[in-house]
C-alpha cells in the first residue's frame, strides 16, 4: 500500500485512516478489504486475541485481496 499510495514519509507508522482515505479515492474494493482486514487482523485477532482458525483464514483472505488490488493499481507489479 505504501508503494501505491506514497503515504509513508518520515518516521513512524501512518494512521490507518490515511490508507482508508487514499484507497477510497482510487478503489472501493480495496477500501472494503482494508477496512475488513484491519478489523479482523488488528482488532479482533490482535487486541481481542481471537485465535479461531476461521477468523485467521478470513484475515489472510483479506490480506491477499489487499495485495492483489494494490498490484492492479501499481504498474509493473504482479501478484503470484
Amino acid at each position: 500500500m505504501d508503494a501505491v499510495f506514497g503515504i509513508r514519509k518520515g518516521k513512524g507508522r501512518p494512521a490507518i485512516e490515511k490508507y482508508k482515505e487514499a484507497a477510497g479515492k482510487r478503489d472501493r474494493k480495496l477500501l472494503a478489504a482494508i477496512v475488513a482486514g484491519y478489523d479482523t487482523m488488528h482488532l479482533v485477532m490482535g487486541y481481542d486475541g481471537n485465535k479461531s482458525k476461521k477468523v485467521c483464514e478470513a484475515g489472510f483472505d483479506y490480506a491477499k485481496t489487499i495485495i492483489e488490488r494494490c498490484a492492479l493499481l501499481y504498474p509493473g507489479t504482479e501478484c503470484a
Side-chain angles (χ1 to χ4, degrees):
M1 289 190 321
D2 290 334
V4 172
F5 300 124
I7 292 174
R8 188 178 291 252
K9 295 178 180 117
K11 295 182 180 182
R13 294 184 185 132
I16 190 67
E17 287 75 23
K18 291 187 181 211
Y19 290 107
K20 289 179 185 178
E21 181 181 323
K25 291 177 182 176
R26 300 234 357 236
D27 186 321
R28 301 298 283 177
K29 288 183 181 181
L30 176 58
L31 173 61
I34 291 171
V35 170
Y38 180 79
D39 183 62
T40 302
M41 293 182 284
H42 185 69
L43 302 177
V44 174
M45 292 171 58
Y47 283 114
D48 297 343
N50 188 321
K51 296 176 185 170
S52 165
K53 181 181 178 200
K54 288 184 179 184
V55 172
C56 291
E57 288 173 346
F60 283 115
D61 287 343
Y62 289 126
K64 182 179 176 187
T65 300
I66 292 167
I67 292 166
E68 289 170 349
R69 299 301 302 179
C70 284
L72 291 173
L73 295 173
Y74 195 72
T77 61
E78 59 182 69
C79 189

